C-alpha cells in the first residue's frame, strides 16, 4: 500500500517541491488549498493530473474542513506548511496571522486526534528561524532560546509549543522543523531575494527604473527550498519525533545579495550614503534606494543557523550554496523573460 500524506500550503513555495518529492517516492498526496478569486495553482500545474495527487478545498481557520479531510484520507503523514508567512505583513494583519500560523496548527493536530490517528499519523510543523528573532547567541541551534520579533514569529512560537505539547501529552509523532530562510524560483515576489532578482532583470530590460528596498544590512542564512523539503521528509522517517534546525551555516547581507545579482546581469554596484539614505549605483545610474515602507517595526538583523544535528542524525545534505541558489533564481527568471 502506498503511504498517504496530507500537505497544507500546497500553493506556496515549499508545498510543490515537497509534493514532487513525495510523488517520486510513490506516496498518495492529498493537498489542501484555499479557494481564491484568482488561480493559485500556477506552481502545481505540472502535477494536477498526476494519478496520485488530489486537491481538496480547506482552510486552516476552518476546523470542519480539516476534520473532514483528515477523516476521509486517514493519512500516514501530515506536513503542515500553510501560514501567512510574510514577516512584515504580519504586523498589518496580526490577528489573522495568529489564527492561521498559530491556532491553525492546533486545529490540524486536533483533526488528527478526532480521527483517532494520534498513534499512527506523523506530523511535521513548518517552524522557523524567526523564533530566534533578537538572537541571544550565534549561530543558532536547537538549544538556543527564542525571542520572536513579529506577530508571525509569536504565532509560530505558540505553534512550536503546541507540537511539543501534543508529543508529550498524547505520545504523537509530531516534530518542528526549525528552518532558516530558503528560496527558489518559486519564491513569492514580495520576499527579498525574489524581489531583487525580478527587479534587476526588469531594470536590465528597461522595464523598471529602480528597486526600492528596506534594511540592506540584514543578514540571512539563505538555502534552496529543494534541499529543505528533503529535510522535512527525513524528519518524519525516524523512530522518534525530534525537532531539527535546517540551515546552511553561511550568511550574507541583503546588500551582498543585490551586488551578486546585479553584477551577474552586467550591472556592478557601488554604494553611497548610509542607512535609509544609502543608494546603489551602476555607473552613474541610480539602481537601488531605500524606503521606511520596507522596514519592520522590529527588525531581525541576523539569522545564522547551525544544522550539525540534522546533518549527523538525519544525514541531511544540501546541494545548493547561496551563489548556486541565486544563479538558479536568476537563470529561471531570465528564461521566463526570453519566452515572453
Ligand atoms: P508561502 O509561499 O507563503 O506559502 C504559504 C502557503 O500557505 C500558501 O499555499 C498559502 O495559500 C497557504 N495558506 C495561507 N493561509 C492559509 C490558510 N488560512 N489556510 C490554508 N492555507 C493557507 O510559504 P513557504 O515559503 O512555502 O513556507 C512554507 C511554510 O514554512 C510556511 O508555514 C512558512 O511560515 C514556513 N517557513 C518558511 C521559510 C522560508 O524561508 N520559506 C522558513 C521557515 C519557515 P494561498 O496561496 O492561498 O495564499
Ligand atoms: N521582503 C522584503 N522586502 N525584505 C526586505 C526588503 C524588502 O524590500 N528590504 C530589506 N529586506 C530585509 C528584511 O528586513 C529581512 O531582514 C530580510 O530582507 C529578508 O526578508 P524576507 O525575504 O521578507 O524574509 P524574512 O527573513 O523576513 O522571512 C522569511 O524567512 C523566515 C525564516 O527565517 C519568510 O519566509 C518567513 O516565513 C520565514 O519564517
Amino acid at each position: 500500500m502506498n503511504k498517504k500524506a496530507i500537505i497544507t500550503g500546497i500553493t506556496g513555495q515549499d508545498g510543490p517541491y515537497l509534493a514532487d518529492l513525495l510523488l517520486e517516492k510513490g506516496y498518495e498526496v492529498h493537498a489542501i488549498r484555499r479557494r481564491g478569486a484568482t488561480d493559485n495553482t500556477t506552481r502545481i500545474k505540472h502535477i494536477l493530473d498526476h494519478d496520485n495527487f488530489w486537491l481538496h478545498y480547506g482552510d486552516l481557520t476552518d476546523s470542519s474542513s480539516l476534520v473532514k479531510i483528515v477523516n476521509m484520507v486517514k493519512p500516514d503523514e501530515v506536513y503542515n506548511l500553510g501560514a501567512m508567512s510574510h514577516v512584515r505583513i504580519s504586523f498589518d494583519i496580526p490577528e489573522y496571522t495568529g489564527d492561521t500560523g498559530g491556532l491553525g496548527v492546533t486545529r490540524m493536530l486536533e483533526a488528527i486526534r478526532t480521527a483517532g490517528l494520534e498513534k499512527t499519523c506523523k506530523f511535521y510543523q513548518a517552524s522557523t528561524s524567526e523564533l530566534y528573532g533578537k538572537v541571544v547567541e550565534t549561530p543558532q541551534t536547537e538549544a538556543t532560546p527564542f525571542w520572536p520579533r513579529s506577530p508571525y514569529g509569536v504565532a509560530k512560537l505558540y505553534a512550536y509549543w503546541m507540537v511539543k505539547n501534543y508529543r508529550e501529552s498524547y505520545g504523537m509523532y509530531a516534530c518542528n522543523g526549525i528552518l532558516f530562510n530558503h528560496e527558489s524560483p518559486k519564491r513569492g515576489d514580495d520576499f527579498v531575494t525574489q524581489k531583487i532578482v525580478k527587479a534587476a532583470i526588469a531594470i536590465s530590460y528597461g522595464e523598471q527604473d529602480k528597486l526600492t528596498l528596506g534594511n540592506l544590512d540584514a543578514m540571512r542564512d539563505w538555502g534552496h527550498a529543494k534541499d529543505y523539503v528533503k529535510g522535512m521528509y527525513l524528519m518524519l522517517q525516524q523512530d522518534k519525533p525530534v525537532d531539527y534546525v535546517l540551515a546552511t551555516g553561511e550568511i550574507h547581507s541583503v546588500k551582498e545579495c543585490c551586488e551578486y545579482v546585479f553584477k551577474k546581469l552586467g550591472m556592478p554596484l557601488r554604494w553611497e550614503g548610509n542607512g535609509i539614505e544609502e543608494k546603489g549605483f551602476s555607473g552613474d545610474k541610480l539602481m537601488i534606494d531605500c524606503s521606511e515602507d520596507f522596514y519592520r517595526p522590529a527588525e531581525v538583523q541576523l539569522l545564522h543557523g547551525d544544522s550539525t544535528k540534522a546533518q549527523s542524525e538525519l544525514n541531511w545534505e544540501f546541494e545548493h550554496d547561496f551563489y548556486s541558489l541565486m544563479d538558479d533564481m536568476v537563470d529561471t527568471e531570465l528564461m521566463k523573460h526570453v519566452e515572453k
Side-chain angles (χ1 to χ4, degrees):
M1 281 272 282
N2 290 355
K3 271 198 193 173
K4 290 187 206 168
I6 289 180
I7 302 177
T8 69
I10 190 66
T11 55
Q13 169 188 252
D14 292 359
Y17 285 118
L18 180 64
D20 288 348
L21 180 75
L22 297 181
L23 288 170
E24 258 171 49
K25 292 187 182 295
Y27 277 62
E28 191 177 301
V29 175
H30 294 260
I32 299 183
R33 71 183 284 205
R34 297 193 292 176
R35 194 264 164 184
T38 52
D39 181 16
N40 59 5
T41 58
T42 328
R43 296 178 174 119
I44 47 170
K45 282 242 151 25
H46 62 295
I47 49 173
L48 285 177
D49 293 330
H50 194 292
D51 287 346
N52 279 337
F53 184 72
W54 282 268
L55 264 186
H56 307 272
Y57 281 108
D59 196 304
L60 286 163
T61 62
D62 182 297
S63 306
S64 65
S65 64
L66 304 178
V67 167
K68 204 165 54 194
I69 296 165
V70 171
N71 255 303
M72 187 178 67
V73 174
K74 305 218 179 315
D76 301 289
E77 295 172 7
V78 170
Y79 295 85
N80 185 47
L81 310 185
M84 200 309 287
S85 79
H86 200 283
V87 174
R88 201 209 58 71
I89 296 172
S90 77
F91 288 92
D92 298 338
I93 46 172
E95 192 181 320
Y96 179 71
T97 303
D99 200 358
T100 308
L103 277 177
V105 179
T106 307
R107 293 188 187 103
M108 206 62 201
L109 289 164
E110 275 299 291
I112 294 170
R113 263 183 14 99
T114 309
L117 299 174
E118 70 271 24
K119 294 282 185 264
T120 55
C121 177
K122 295 181 171 182
F123 183 83
Y124 173 85
Q125 165 58 12
S127 197
T128 168
S129 50
E130 276 290 307
L131 297 184
Y132 302 116
K134 192 171 179 184
V135 298
V136 299
E137 67 178 13
T138 294
Q140 295 88 52
T141 70
E142 293 81 0
T144 302
F146 300 132
W147 190 329
R149 296 266 281 170
S150 64
Y152 168 80
V154 174
K156 289 280 188 179
L157 183 61
Y158 165 82
Y160 171 91
W161 280 108
M162 284 310 277
V163 168
K164 271 196 182 286
N165 185 259
Y166 273 59
R167 191 155 85 202
E168 291 170 8
S169 307
Y170 307 116
M172 269 181 79
Y173 190 117
C175 52
N176 291 289
I178 308 172
L179 272 50
F180 282 65
N181 295 51
H182 46 280
E183 321 288 309
S184 74
K186 296 192 205 298
R187 189 56 145 153
D189 292 351
D190 51 5
F191 295 94
V192 79
T193 52
Q194 188 72 294
K195 184 172 166 182
I196 292 167
V197 166
K198 290 208 167 173
I201 291 175
I203 292 169
S204 75
Y205 275 86
E207 298 164 356
Q208 183 172 329
D209 185 33
K210 64 177 168 69
L211 164 65
T212 303
L213 292 170
N215 182 1
L216 295 173
D217 298 319
M219 307 209 60
R220 288 292 181 275
D221 182 328
W222 278 298
H224 199 302
K226 242 184 186 172
D227 290 331
Y228 284 48
V229 299
K230 290 182 195 156
M232 297 175 189
Y233 167 76
L234 287 171
M235 282 181 220
L236 294 200
Q237 312 311 313
Q238 309 305 308
D239 295 333
K240 286 193 185 133
V242 175
D243 302 330
Y244 289 97
V245 161
L246 298 185
T248 68
E250 186 184 321
I251 50 170
H252 296 274
S253 65
V254 171
K255 214 195 258 187
E256 281 172 57
C257 182
C258 294
E259 284 165 3
Y260 185 71
V261 170
F262 277 74
K263 188 168 178 204
K264 186 173 160 67
L265 293 165
M267 304 178 292
L269 292 175
R270 67 182 166 81
W271 300 95
E272 285 182 16
N274 284 306
I276 192 86
E277 297 304 329
E278 189 152 16
K279 292 183 171 49
F281 295 86
S282 189
D284 289 335
K285 180 168 174 356
L286 175 66
M287 295 282 176
I288 296 169
D289 62 6
C290 296
S291 161
E292 292 286 357
D293 292 347
F294 299 109
Y295 277 75
R296 288 104 200 253
E299 284 287 327
V300 170
Q301 198 59 29
L302 165 93
L303 291 174
H304 182 186
D306 176 350
S307 59
T308 307
K309 186 172 154 186
Q311 292 184 54
S312 64
E313 293 180 12
L314 300 176
N315 290 324
W316 177 66
E317 292 173 341
F318 53 92
E319 282 171 31
H320 289 270
D321 66 1
F322 170 74
Y323 300 104
S324 69
L325 162 70
M326 296 316 301
D327 287 346
D328 189 19
M329 293 179 73
V330 172
D331 294 345
T332 306
E333 190 55 29
L334 273 175
M335 192 68 83
K336 283 192 202 156
H337 249 78
V338 173
E339 285 165 1
K340 257 207 274 182

